[in-house]
Amino acid sequence: ALWHGLGLFGESYLLFSIGTLRPLWEALYPLCFSNEDADPATSCPHPYLTYNSLSYSVVLGVMLGMVIVGTLAGRIGRRNGSLLTASIMVAGAAALVLASLLLAGKINDDNNNNEESGRPDVLFMVMSASLFIFGIGVGGEYPLSASLASERAMAAMKERRRLEEQ
């Protein structure tokens, strides 16, 4: 039970931290989170899109994961489906961490020769894609957890009835 609790804690921590980090990102990258239309020549040409992609990419991933990974897990089995969802979540979380470490550091680097990696919009695009991948794993976990809980509840109910009959 502790292992399942740690998984839930980890995924909740990652999902809820995005909303918590928004004020920090607004302070660090004001052009990416302003309410006004930015100049296309700036580092964040579509500020409204930047924020919404961070907010909703994980939600879209969860919905897609429920349908696709849930259906796939019905074919490959719950154990293999659980391993698949865990792998997808690890890949998304690792990509998110790597994007934060590699791209965010280059934004403030004065000796940066690669102009593409030094742009905050690239950072937030990669972060959105990583959150989408993570969301697919989270979404795939929901139908698997629900079916496991249902089966365990039914087994516990049958065991209680058996004990009551004795």
Side-chain angles (χ1 to χ4, degrees):
L2 179 63
W3 184 252
H4 299 291
L6 287 175
L8 181 64
F9 170 76
E11 83 182 41
S12 297
Y13 180 81
L14 195 140
L15 293 175
F16 292 127
S17 67
I18 298 304
T20 307
L21 289 172
R22 183 174 181 227
L24 180 63
W25 291 332
E26 286 176 348
L28 290 173
Y29 312 109
L31 293 176
C32 294
F33 292 95
S34 68
N35 291 333
E36 303 166 7
D37 288 333
D39 180 12
T42 64
S43 58
C44 283
H46 305 288
Y48 183 75
L49 183 61
T50 299
Y51 175 68
N52 284 331
S53 68
L54 286 171
S55 300
Y56 298 116
S57 60
V58 71
V59 174
L60 293 173
V62 166
M63 290 188 296
L64 192 65
M66 282 184 196
V67 174
I68 293 176
V69 179
T71 303
L72 182 62
R75 292 184 182 166
I76 64 174
R78 189 173 41 241
R79 177 168 166 68
N80 290 334
S82 294
L83 291 172
L84 177 65
T85 60
S87 301
I88 293 170
M89 285 191 291
V90 166
L96 188 63
V97 169
L98 287 174
S100 300
L101 291 174
L102 299 176
L103 295 175
K106 291 184 178 183
I107 290 172
N108 297 321
D109 184 8
D110 293 335
N111 299 325
N112 184 15
N113 294 330
N114 185 357
E115 205 172 289
E116 227 14 66
S117 65
R119 295 178 36 199
D121 63 330
V122 173
L123 168 67
F124 292 122
M125 233 185 323
V126 172
M127 288 176 71
S128 293
S130 301
L131 284 168
F132 178 75
I133 293 168
F134 184 80
I136 290 173
V138 170
E141 183 182 9
Y142 289 157
L144 295 171
S145 299
S147 65
L148 178 63
S150 175
E151 286 177 10
R152 285 188 180 175
M154 293 299 289
M157 192 180 340
K158 286 180 183 178
E159 181 65 22
R160 250 185 274 137
R161 285 186 188 156
R162 188 184 64 81
L163 290 174
E164 287 174 358
E165 290 174 359
Q166 289 180 352

